[in-house]
């Protein structure tokens, strides 16, 4: 008999104060502070530009066209966590829809990131559930228990472990590895402070050349 497998869950919980501080960090800034990396592929987008995610990950790995691992993950996650799903990037079968949206909301799920397709997109948006996905497709999934949860996954080209921090905004998704939570936050806050000074310079008539140095231009 097939079943969804679960890896041990033993990651450290990020303090509430740290999560609150990260809620002010744009995904672009976080990526800049992670060597301009840790960003998911551009195909994974929010269903609505206003959607935001700032939460620790629980992970799910699904076979093509099957959503059993997602349903299991929703039932086992703690309130305030985000479920990050490798649905194999398959765009022709949705693995999440309206009924699962209601279930996720009841469980207090902070959002989902799915490398695959969803359906009932209007219902997801109306429910206020942050959803980042690769595609929208009306075809529904199979329900044969398979896949795993809480193990390492690759979603949108980024390796993710349970407990990593997921930041999502209109630009997309940046993943902050749990081991880099503190260093990335310090660096990001420093970048934001410097950007305020840069904006003041530009508003007072300065140029980017004053800040970054002039770009050499020579005639062709």
């Amino acid at each position: 008999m097939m079943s969804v497998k679960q890896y041990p869950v033993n990651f450290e919980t990020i303090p509430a104060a740290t999560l609150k501080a990260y809620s002010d960090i744009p995904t672009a800034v976080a990526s800049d502070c992670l060597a301009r990396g840790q960003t998911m592929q551009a195909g994974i987008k929010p269903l609505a530009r206003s959607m935001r995610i700032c939460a620790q990950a629980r992970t799910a790995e699904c076979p093509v066209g099957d959503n059993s691992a997602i349903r299991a993950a929703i039932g086992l996650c703690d309130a305030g966590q985000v479920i990050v799903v490798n649905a194999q990037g398959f765009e022709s079968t949705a693995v999440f829809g309206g009924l699962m949206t209601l279930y996720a909301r009841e469980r207090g799920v902070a959002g989902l990131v799915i490398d695959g397709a969803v359906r009932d997109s209007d219902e997801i948006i109306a429910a206020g559930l942050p959803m980042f996905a690769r595609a929208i497709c009306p075809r529904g999934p199979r329900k044969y228990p398979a896949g795993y949860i809480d193990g390492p996954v690759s979603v949108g080209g980024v390796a993710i472990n349970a407990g990593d921090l997921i930041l999502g905004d209109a630009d997309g998704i940046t993943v902050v590895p749990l081991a880099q939570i503190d260093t990335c936050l310090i660096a990001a806050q420093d970048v934001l402070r410097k950007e305020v000074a840069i904006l003041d310079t530009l508003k007072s008539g300065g140029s980017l050349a004053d800040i970054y140095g002039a770009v050499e231009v020579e005639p062709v």
Side-chain angles (χ1 to χ4, degrees):
M1 179 177 177
M2 298 180 68
S3 62
V4 173
K5 310 301 183 184
Q6 183 181 20
Y7 282 67
V9 182
N10 55 8
F11 58 81
E12 181 181 347
T13 300
I14 298 173
T18 302
L19 286 176
K20 185 175 186 302
Y22 262 108
S23 68
D24 294 326
I25 305 299
T27 56
V29 171
S31 176
D32 286 352
C33 296
L34 295 165
R36 298 190 184 274
Q38 294 297 117
T39 57
M40 290 189 185
Q41 295 159 350
I44 297 180
K45 300 181 176 69
L47 294 190
R49 288 183 58 82
S50 60
M51 290 179 171
R52 299 288 184 273
I53 291 176
C54 178
Q56 282 188 276
R58 298 292 289 271
T59 61
E61 177 92 7
C62 299
V64 167
D66 186 276
N67 70 357
S68 301
I70 303 174
R71 290 185 290 120
I74 294 172
L76 291 171
C77 78
D78 295 329
Q81 295 175 333
V82 57
I83 299 173
V84 184
V85 183
N86 178 17
Q88 313 304 324
F90 192 64
E91 299 184 5
S92 297
T93 299
V95 293
F96 191 94
L99 294 178
M100 292 178 72
T101 296
L102 295 177
Y103 183 36
R105 292 296 284 171
E106 288 295 317
R107 291 287 303 168
V109 174
L112 290 98
V113 180
I114 299 179
D115 196 345
V118 302
R119 66 178 182 174
D120 304 323
S121 55
D122 285 344
E123 293 179 39
I124 296 172
I125 293 170
L129 179 68
M131 170 64 72
F132 291 68
R134 188 174 288 279
I136 299 171
C137 178
R139 179 184 293 143
R142 301 189 307 270
K143 294 177 173 61
Y144 305 136
Y148 63 80
I149 58 177
D150 292 323
V153 294
S154 177
V155 177
V158 180
I160 301 164
N161 292 294
D164 288 346
L165 178 63
I166 307 300
L167 297 178
D169 59 24
D171 283 349
I173 296 287
T174 295
V175 180
V176 184
L178 187 55
Q180 295 176 257
I181 288 296
D182 293 333
T183 55
C184 180
L185 179 59
I186 292 169
Q189 290 173 329
D190 186 51
V191 167
L192 292 180
R193 283 190 292 268
K194 289 177 179 177
E195 285 188 351
V196 170
I198 291 171
L199 288 173
D200 289 342
T201 298
L202 295 176
K203 289 177 181 178
S204 62
S207 71
L208 290 179
D210 299 327
I211 300 161
Y212 298 118
V215 177
E216 291 189 13
V217 179
E218 59 183 48
V220 176

PDB file of all heavy atoms in Angstrom, residues 96-131:
ATOM      1  N   PHE A  96      -4.032  21.881  -6.413  1.00  0.00           N
ATOM      2  CA  PHE A  96      -4.606  22.650  -5.302  1.00  0.00           C
ATOM      3  C   PHE A  96      -5.797  23.434  -5.840  1.00  0.00           C
ATOM      4  O   PHE A  96      -5.752  23.948  -6.959  1.00  0.00           O
ATOM      5  CB  PHE A  96      -3.562  23.605  -4.722  1.00  0.00           C
ATOM      6  CG  PHE A  96      -3.968  24.253  -3.427  1.00  0.00           C
ATOM      7  CD1 PHE A  96      -3.603  23.692  -2.224  1.00  0.00           C
ATOM      8  CD2 PHE A  96      -4.722  25.426  -3.415  1.00  0.00           C
ATOM      9  CE1 PHE A  96      -3.984  24.273  -1.020  1.00  0.00           C
ATOM     10  CE2 PHE A  96      -5.103  26.010  -2.229  1.00  0.00           C
ATOM     11  CZ  PHE A  96      -4.740  25.440  -1.020  1.00  0.00           C
ATOM     12  N   GLY A  97      -6.871  23.506  -5.010  1.00  0.00           N
ATOM     13  CA  GLY A  97      -8.057  24.231  -5.452  1.00  0.00           C
ATOM     14  C   GLY A  97      -8.869  24.779  -4.303  1.00  0.00           C
ATOM     15  O   GLY A  97      -8.368  24.984  -3.195  1.00  0.00           O
ATOM     16  N   GLY A  98     -10.161  24.999  -4.563  1.00  0.00           N
ATOM     17  CA  GLY A  98     -11.014  25.698  -3.622  1.00  0.00           C
ATOM     18  C   GLY A  98     -11.222  24.995  -2.301  1.00  0.00           C
ATOM     19  O   GLY A  98     -11.160  25.623  -1.233  1.00  0.00           O
ATOM     20  N   LEU A  99     -11.508  23.687  -2.308  1.00  0.00           N
ATOM     21  CA  LEU A  99     -11.742  22.971  -1.059  1.00  0.00           C
ATOM     22  C   LEU A  99     -10.495  22.940  -0.187  1.00  0.00           C
ATOM     23  O   LEU A  99     -10.564  23.115   1.038  1.00  0.00           O
ATOM     24  CB  LEU A  99     -12.217  21.544  -1.356  1.00  0.00           C
ATOM     25  CG  LEU A  99     -13.584  21.430  -2.042  1.00  0.00           C
ATOM     26  CD1 LEU A  99     -13.916  19.963  -2.315  1.00  0.00           C
ATOM     27  CD2 LEU A  99     -14.671  22.067  -1.189  1.00  0.00           C
ATOM     28  N   MET A 100      -9.343  22.741  -0.814  1.00  0.00           N
ATOM     29  CA  MET A 100      -8.093  22.739  -0.047  1.00  0.00           C
ATOM     30  C   MET A 100      -7.794  24.137   0.489  1.00  0.00           C
ATOM     31  O   MET A 100      -7.156  24.280   1.542  1.00  0.00           O
ATOM     32  CB  MET A 100      -6.948  22.216  -0.921  1.00  0.00           C
ATOM     33  CG  MET A 100      -7.091  20.743  -1.260  1.00  0.00           C
ATOM     34  SD  MET A 100      -5.774  20.144  -2.339  1.00  0.00           S
ATOM     35  CE  MET A 100      -4.386  20.120  -1.213  1.00  0.00           C
ATOM     36  N   THR A 101      -8.244  25.162  -0.219  1.00  0.00           N
ATOM     37  CA  THR A 101      -8.077  26.527   0.271  1.00  0.00           C
ATOM     38  C   THR A 101      -8.784  26.712   1.612  1.00  0.00           C
ATOM     39  O   THR A 101      -8.216  27.257   2.564  1.00  0.00           O
ATOM     40  CB  THR A 101      -8.630  27.540  -0.752  1.00  0.00           C
ATOM     41  OG1 THR A 101      -7.859  27.467  -1.947  1.00  0.00           O
ATOM     42  CG2 THR A 101      -8.573  28.960  -0.213  1.00  0.00           C
ATOM     43  N   LEU A 102     -10.026  26.243   1.685  1.00  0.00           N
ATOM     44  CA  LEU A 102     -10.770  26.353   2.939  1.00  0.00           C
ATOM     45  C   LEU A 102     -10.088  25.568   4.058  1.00  0.00           C
ATOM     46  O   LEU A 102     -10.002  26.036   5.206  1.00  0.00           O
ATOM     47  CB  LEU A 102     -12.199  25.846   2.736  1.00  0.00           C
ATOM     48  CG  LEU A 102     -13.066  26.659   1.778  1.00  0.00           C
ATOM     49  CD1 LEU A 102     -14.434  26.000   1.607  1.00  0.00           C
ATOM     50  CD2 LEU A 102     -13.227  28.091   2.276  1.00  0.00           C
ATOM     51  N   TYR A 103      -9.606  24.376   3.724  1.00  0.00           N
ATOM     52  CA  TYR A 103      -8.899  23.548   4.706  1.00  0.00           C
ATOM     53  C   TYR A 103      -7.642  24.255   5.203  1.00  0.00           C
ATOM     54  O   TYR A 103      -7.376  24.314   6.409  1.00  0.00           O
ATOM     55  CB  TYR A 103      -8.558  22.210   4.056  1.00  0.00           C
ATOM     56  CG  TYR A 103      -7.894  21.196   4.961  1.00  0.00           C
ATOM     57  CD1 TYR A 103      -8.223  21.085   6.299  1.00  0.00           C
ATOM     58  CD2 TYR A 103      -6.948  20.304   4.440  1.00  0.00           C
ATOM     59  CE1 TYR A 103      -7.624  20.127   7.113  1.00  0.00           C
ATOM     60  CE2 TYR A 103      -6.343  19.345   5.240  1.00  0.00           C
ATOM     61  CZ  TYR A 103      -6.683  19.264   6.571  1.00  0.00           C
ATOM     62  OH  TYR A 103      -6.091  18.328   7.373  1.00  0.00           O
ATOM     63  N   ALA A 104      -6.879  24.833   4.277  1.00  0.00           N
ATOM     64  CA  ALA A 104      -5.647  25.532   4.650  1.00  0.00           C
ATOM     65  C   ALA A 104      -5.943  26.744   5.529  1.00  0.00           C
ATOM     66  O   ALA A 104      -5.217  27.020   6.497  1.00  0.00           O
ATOM     67  CB  ALA A 104      -4.883  25.955   3.396  1.00  0.00           C
ATOM     68  N   ARG A 105      -6.994  27.477   5.208  1.00  0.00           N
ATOM     69  CA  ARG A 105      -7.363  28.638   6.023  1.00  0.00           C
ATOM     70  C   ARG A 105      -7.757  28.203   7.432  1.00  0.00           C
ATOM     71  O   ARG A 105      -7.385  28.853   8.422  1.00  0.00           O
ATOM     72  CB  ARG A 105      -8.505  29.401   5.357  1.00  0.00           C
ATOM     73  CG  ARG A 105      -8.132  30.085   4.054  1.00  0.00           C
ATOM     74  CD  ARG A 105      -7.096  31.171   4.248  1.00  0.00           C
ATOM     75  NE  ARG A 105      -7.682  32.368   4.829  1.00  0.00           N
ATOM     76  CZ  ARG A 105      -6.982  33.409   5.274  1.00  0.00           C
ATOM     77  NH1 ARG A 105      -5.666  33.390   5.209  1.00  0.00           N
ATOM     78  NH2 ARG A 105      -7.575  34.453   5.782  1.00  0.00           N
ATOM     79  N   GLU A 106      -8.529  27.121   7.527  1.00  0.00           N
ATOM     80  CA  GLU A 106      -8.930  26.624   8.846  1.00  0.00           C
ATOM     81  C   GLU A 106      -7.723  26.198   9.669  1.00  0.00           C
ATOM     82  O   GLU A 106      -7.705  26.352  10.895  1.00  0.00           O
ATOM     83  CB  GLU A 106      -9.902  25.449   8.684  1.00  0.00           C
ATOM     84  CG  GLU A 106     -11.287  25.837   8.212  1.00  0.00           C
ATOM     85  CD  GLU A 106     -12.014  26.696   9.237  1.00  0.00           C
ATOM     86  OE1 GLU A 106     -11.939  26.380  10.440  1.00  0.00           O
ATOM     87  OE2 GLU A 106     -12.639  27.697   8.826  1.00  0.00           O
ATOM     88  N   ARG A 107      -6.688  25.691   9.008  1.00  0.00           N
ATOM     89  CA  ARG A 107      -5.488  25.225   9.707  1.00  0.00           C
ATOM     90  C   ARG A 107      -4.521  26.362  10.018  1.00  0.00           C
ATOM     91  O   ARG A 107      -3.519  26.155  10.700  1.00  0.00           O
ATOM     92  CB  ARG A 107      -4.768  24.182   8.847  1.00  0.00           C
ATOM     93  CG  ARG A 107      -5.514  22.855   8.699  1.00  0.00           C
ATOM     94  CD  ARG A 107      -5.460  22.048   9.976  1.00  0.00           C
ATOM     95  NE  ARG A 107      -4.069  21.805  10.373  1.00  0.00           N
ATOM     96  CZ  ARG A 107      -3.694  21.335  11.562  1.00  0.00           C
ATOM     97  NH1 ARG A 107      -4.614  21.063  12.476  1.00  0.00           N
ATOM     98  NH2 ARG A 107      -2.432  21.134  11.838  1.00  0.00           N
ATOM     99  N   GLY A 108      -4.795  27.563   9.528  1.00  0.00           N
ATOM    100  CA  GLY A 108      -3.914  28.700   9.797  1.00  0.00           C
ATOM    101  C   GLY A 108      -2.667  28.733   8.946  1.00  0.00           C
ATOM    102  O   GLY A 108      -1.665  29.354   9.321  1.00  0.00           O
ATOM    103  N   VAL A 109      -2.706  28.052   7.786  1.00  0.00           N
ATOM    104  CA  VAL A 109      -1.553  28.057   6.884  1.00  0.00           C
ATOM    105  C   VAL A 109      -1.291  29.481   6.395  1.00  0.00           C
ATOM    106  O   VAL A 109      -2.214  30.203   5.990  1.00  0.00           O
ATOM    107  CB  VAL A 109      -1.805  27.116   5.682  1.00  0.00           C
ATOM    108  CG1 VAL A 109      -0.682  27.212   4.658  1.00  0.00           C
ATOM    109  CG2 VAL A 109      -1.952  25.680   6.179  1.00  0.00           C
ATOM    110  N   ALA A 110      -0.020  29.897   6.418  1.00  0.00           N
ATOM    111  CA  ALA A 110       0.341  31.268   6.045  1.00  0.00           C
ATOM    112  C   ALA A 110       0.380  31.478   4.544  1.00  0.00           C
ATOM    113  O   ALA A 110       0.439  32.622   4.085  1.00  0.00           O
ATOM    114  CB  ALA A 110       1.697  31.633   6.656  1.00  0.00           C
ATOM    115  N   GLY A 111       0.350  30.409   3.770  1.00  0.00           N
ATOM    116  CA  GLY A 111       0.386  30.509   2.313  1.00  0.00           C
ATOM    117  C   GLY A 111       0.983  29.255   1.726  1.00  0.00           C
ATOM    118  O   GLY A 111       1.425  28.350   2.453  1.00  0.00           O
ATOM    119  N   LEU A 112       0.992  29.188   0.408  1.00  0.00           N
ATOM    120  CA  LEU A 112       1.597  28.062  -0.298  1.00  0.00           C
ATOM    121  C   LEU A 112       2.414  28.561  -1.473  1.00  0.00           C
ATOM    122  O   LEU A 112       2.094  29.585  -2.079  1.00  0.00           O
ATOM    123  CB  LEU A 112       0.544  27.083  -0.823  1.00  0.00           C
ATOM    124  CG  LEU A 112      -0.192  26.269   0.250  1.00  0.00           C
ATOM    125  CD1 LEU A 112      -1.530  26.899   0.579  1.00  0.00           C
ATOM    126  CD2 LEU A 112      -0.374  24.815  -0.192  1.00  0.00           C
ATOM    127  N   VAL A 113       3.477  27.814  -1.759  1.00  0.00           N
ATOM    128  CA  VAL A 113       4.301  28.049  -2.947  1.00  0.00           C
ATOM    129  C   VAL A 113       4.343  26.717  -3.683  1.00  0.00           C
ATOM    130  O   VAL A 113       4.827  25.720  -3.131  1.00  0.00           O
ATOM    131  CB  VAL A 113       5.716  28.511  -2.575  1.00  0.00           C
ATOM    132  CG1 VAL A 113       6.543  28.747  -3.832  1.00  0.00           C
ATOM    133  CG2 VAL A 113       5.662  29.768  -1.716  1.00  0.00           C
ATOM    134  N   ILE A 114       3.823  26.679  -4.910  1.00  0.00           N
ATOM    135  CA  ILE A 114       3.673  25.422  -5.624  1.00  0.00           C
ATOM    136  C   ILE A 114       4.363  25.498  -6.979  1.00  0.00           C
ATOM    137  O   ILE A 114       4.008  26.325  -7.816  1.00  0.00           O
ATOM    138  CB  ILE A 114       2.183  25.062  -5.808  1.00  0.00           C
ATOM    139  CG1 ILE A 114       1.522  24.906  -4.433  1.00  0.00           C
ATOM    140  CG2 ILE A 114       2.033  23.793  -6.631  1.00  0.00           C
ATOM    141  CD1 ILE A 114       0.040  24.582  -4.491  1.00  0.00           C
ATOM    142  N   ASP A 115       5.344  24.629  -7.177  1.00  0.00           N
ATOM    143  CA  ASP A 115       5.985  24.516  -8.486  1.00  0.00           C
ATOM    144  C   ASP A 115       5.138  23.568  -9.317  1.00  0.00           C
ATOM    145  O   ASP A 115       5.461  22.395  -9.522  1.00  0.00           O
ATOM    146  CB  ASP A 115       7.415  24.000  -8.345  1.00  0.00           C
ATOM    147  CG  ASP A 115       8.221  24.237  -9.615  1.00  0.00           C
ATOM    148  OD1 ASP A 115       7.611  24.525 -10.663  1.00  0.00           O
ATOM    149  OD2 ASP A 115       9.453  24.137  -9.559  1.00  0.00           O
ATOM    150  N   GLY A 116       4.019  24.105  -9.763  1.00  0.00           N
ATOM    151  CA  GLY A 116       3.027  23.343 -10.497  1.00  0.00           C
ATOM    152  C   GLY A 116       1.807  24.220 -10.671  1.00  0.00           C
ATOM    153  O   GLY A 116       1.889  25.441 -10.573  1.00  0.00           O
ATOM    154  N   ALA A 117       0.656  23.589 -10.904  1.00  0.00           N
ATOM    155  CA  ALA A 117      -0.562  24.332 -11.226  1.00  0.00           C
ATOM    156  C   ALA A 117      -1.590  24.271 -10.105  1.00  0.00           C
ATOM    157  O   ALA A 117      -1.619  23.324  -9.307  1.00  0.00           O
ATOM    158  CB  ALA A 117      -1.174  23.792 -12.519  1.00  0.00           C
ATOM    159  N   VAL A 118      -2.446  25.307 -10.058  1.00  0.00           N
ATOM    160  CA  VAL A 118      -3.586  25.363  -9.150  1.00  0.00           C
ATOM    161  C   VAL A 118      -4.838  25.672  -9.972  1.00  0.00           C
ATOM    162  O   VAL A 118      -4.760  26.051 -11.134  1.00  0.00           O
ATOM    163  CB  VAL A 118      -3.391  26.428  -8.055  1.00  0.00           C
ATOM    164  CG1 VAL A 118      -2.128  26.146  -7.256  1.00  0.00           C
ATOM    165  CG2 VAL A 118      -3.331  27.841  -8.655  1.00  0.00           C
ATOM    166  N   ARG A 119      -5.997  25.505  -9.337  1.00  0.00           N
ATOM    167  CA  ARG A 119      -7.251  25.891  -9.984  1.00  0.00           C
ATOM    168  C   ARG A 119      -8.136  26.606  -8.957  1.00  0.00           C
ATOM    169  O   ARG A 119      -7.726  26.813  -7.814  1.00  0.00           O
ATOM    170  CB  ARG A 119      -7.957  24.681 -10.575  1.00  0.00           C
ATOM    171  CG  ARG A 119      -8.473  23.657  -9.585  1.00  0.00           C
ATOM    172  CD  ARG A 119      -9.184  22.541 -10.321  1.00  0.00           C
ATOM    173  NE  ARG A 119      -9.740  21.535  -9.408  1.00  0.00           N
ATOM    174  CZ  ARG A 119     -10.494  20.527  -9.819  1.00  0.00           C
ATOM    175  NH1 ARG A 119     -10.758  20.373 -11.110  1.00  0.00           N
ATOM    176  NH2 ARG A 119     -10.970  19.650  -8.959  1.00  0.00           N
ATOM    177  N   ASP A 120      -9.337  26.998  -9.379  1.00  0.00           N
ATOM    178  CA  ASP A 120     -10.227  27.784  -8.512  1.00  0.00           C
ATOM    179  C   ASP A 120      -9.508  29.035  -8.024  1.00  0.00           C
ATOM    180  O   ASP A 120      -9.598  29.412  -6.851  1.00  0.00           O
ATOM    181  CB  ASP A 120     -10.706  26.947  -7.314  1.00  0.00           C
ATOM    182  CG  ASP A 120     -11.394  25.654  -7.733  1.00  0.00           C
ATOM    183  OD1 ASP A 120     -12.109  25.681  -8.756  1.00  0.00           O
ATOM    184  OD2 ASP A 120     -11.209  24.640  -7.043  1.00  0.00           O
ATOM    185  N   SER A 121      -8.807  29.678  -8.938  1.00  0.00           N
ATOM    186  CA  SER A 121      -7.948  30.806  -8.553  1.00  0.00           C
ATOM    187  C   SER A 121      -8.742  31.953  -7.954  1.00  0.00           C
ATOM    188  O   SER A 121      -8.266  32.612  -7.013  1.00  0.00           O
ATOM    189  CB  SER A 121      -7.136  31.282  -9.762  1.00  0.00           C
ATOM    190  OG  SER A 121      -7.981  31.607 -10.851  1.00  0.00           O
ATOM    191  N   ASP A 122      -9.945  32.212  -8.457  1.00  0.00           N
ATOM    192  CA  ASP A 122     -10.758  33.291  -7.881  1.00  0.00           C
ATOM    193  C   ASP A 122     -11.113  32.979  -6.429  1.00  0.00           C
ATOM    194  O   ASP A 122     -11.138  33.884  -5.583  1.00  0.00           O
ATOM    195  CB  ASP A 122     -12.035  33.490  -8.695  1.00  0.00           C
ATOM    196  CG  ASP A 122     -11.791  34.209 -10.013  1.00  0.00           C
ATOM    197  OD1 ASP A 122     -10.701  34.816 -10.159  1.00  0.00           O
ATOM    198  OD2 ASP A 122     -12.669  34.166 -10.893  1.00  0.00           O
ATOM    199  N   GLU A 123     -11.392  31.719  -6.129  1.00  0.00           N
ATOM    200  CA  GLU A 123     -11.709  31.329  -4.756  1.00  0.00           C
ATOM    201  C   GLU A 123     -10.503  31.493  -3.840  1.00  0.00           C
ATOM    202  O   GLU A 123     -10.639  31.926  -2.689  1.00  0.00           O
ATOM    203  CB  GLU A 123     -12.197  29.883  -4.712  1.00  0.00           C
ATOM    204  CG  GLU A 123     -13.529  29.650  -5.400  1.00  0.00           C
ATOM    205  CD  GLU A 123     -13.952  28.193  -5.336  1.00  0.00           C
ATOM    206  OE1 GLU A 123     -13.740  27.552  -4.286  1.00  0.00           O
ATOM    207  OE2 GLU A 123     -14.478  27.689  -6.349  1.00  0.00           O
ATOM    208  N   ILE A 124      -9.338  31.147  -4.339  1.00  0.00           N
ATOM    209  CA  ILE A 124      -8.116  31.296  -3.538  1.00  0.00           C
ATOM    210  C   ILE A 124      -7.879  32.767  -3.216  1.00  0.00           C
ATOM    211  O   ILE A 124      -7.584  33.146  -2.070  1.00  0.00           O
ATOM    212  CB  ILE A 124      -6.909  30.703  -4.286  1.00  0.00           C
ATOM    213  CG1 ILE A 124      -7.089  29.195  -4.484  1.00  0.00           C
ATOM    214  CG2 ILE A 124      -5.611  30.973  -3.510  1.00  0.00           C
ATOM    215  CD1 ILE A 124      -6.045  28.561  -5.388  1.00  0.00           C
ATOM    216  N   ILE A 125      -8.037  33.622  -4.222  1.00  0.00           N
ATOM    217  CA  ILE A 125      -7.830  35.055  -4.019  1.00  0.00           C
ATOM    218  C   ILE A 125      -8.870  35.608  -3.057  1.00  0.00           C
ATOM    219  O   ILE A 125      -8.545  36.370  -2.130  1.00  0.00           O
ATOM    220  CB  ILE A 125      -7.868  35.793  -5.368  1.00  0.00           C
ATOM    221  CG1 ILE A 125      -6.672  35.386  -6.230  1.00  0.00           C
ATOM    222  CG2 ILE A 125      -7.870  37.311  -5.158  1.00  0.00           C
ATOM    223  CD1 ILE A 125      -6.755  35.867  -7.669  1.00  0.00           C
ATOM    224  N   ALA A 126     -10.140  35.236  -3.247  1.00  0.00           N
ATOM    225  CA  ALA A 126     -11.210  35.742  -2.388  1.00  0.00           C
ATOM    226  C   ALA A 126     -11.017  35.307  -0.937  1.00  0.00           C
ATOM    227  O   ALA A 126     -11.367  36.052  -0.005  1.00  0.00           O
ATOM    228  CB  ALA A 126     -12.568  35.259  -2.907  1.00  0.00           C
ATOM    229  N   ALA A 127     -10.438  34.121  -0.736  1.00  0.00           N
ATOM    230  CA  ALA A 127     -10.209  33.619   0.623  1.00  0.00           C
ATOM    231  C   ALA A 127      -9.040  34.319   1.306  1.00  0.00           C
ATOM    232  O   ALA A 127      -8.843  34.166   2.520  1.00  0.00           O
ATOM    233  CB  ALA A 127      -9.968  32.113   0.590  1.00  0.00           C
ATOM    234  N   GLY A 128      -8.253  35.064   0.531  1.00  0.00           N
ATOM    235  CA  GLY A 128      -7.108  35.756   1.111  1.00  0.00           C
ATOM    236  C   GLY A 128      -5.959  34.844   1.465  1.00  0.00           C
ATOM    237  O   GLY A 128      -5.154  35.165   2.346  1.00  0.00           O
ATOM    238  N   LEU A 129      -5.857  33.701   0.777  1.00  0.00           N
ATOM    239  CA  LEU A 129      -4.753  32.768   1.031  1.00  0.00           C
ATOM    240  C   LEU A 129      -3.604  33.090   0.084  1.00  0.00           C
ATOM    241  O   LEU A 129      -3.753  32.930  -1.131  1.00  0.00           O
ATOM    242  CB  LEU A 129      -5.221  31.327   0.804  1.00  0.00           C
ATOM    243  CG  LEU A 129      -4.153  30.250   1.015  1.00  0.00           C
ATOM    244  CD1 LEU A 129      -3.758  30.167   2.490  1.00  0.00           C
ATOM    245  CD2 LEU A 129      -4.655  28.889   0.515  1.00  0.00           C
ATOM    246  N   PRO A 130      -2.482  33.546   0.592  1.00  0.00           N
ATOM    247  CA  PRO A 130      -1.341  33.826  -0.293  1.00  0.00           C
ATOM    248  C   PRO A 130      -0.934  32.570  -1.064  1.00  0.00           C
ATOM    249  O   PRO A 130      -0.650  31.540  -0.464  1.00  0.00           O
ATOM    250  CB  PRO A 130      -0.247  34.282   0.667  1.00  0.00           C
ATOM    251  CG  PRO A 130      -0.982  34.840   1.839  1.00  0.00           C
ATOM    252  CD  PRO A 130      -2.183  33.938   1.986  1.00  0.00           C
ATOM    253  N   MET A 131      -0.915  32.680  -2.387  1.00  0.00           N
ATOM    254  CA  MET A 131      -0.610  31.536  -3.237  1.00  0.00           C
ATOM    255  C   MET A 131       0.331  31.972  -4.356  1.00  0.00           C
ATOM    256  O   MET A 131       0.025  32.887  -5.121  1.00  0.00           O
ATOM    257  CB  MET A 131      -1.888  30.969  -3.845  1.00  0.00           C
ATOM    258  CG  MET A 131      -1.656  29.927  -4.938  1.00  0.00           C
ATOM    259  SD  MET A 131      -0.834  28.419  -4.339  1.00  0.00           S
ATOM    260  CE  MET A 131      -2.184  27.687  -3.385  1.00  0.00           C
TER     261      MET A 131
END
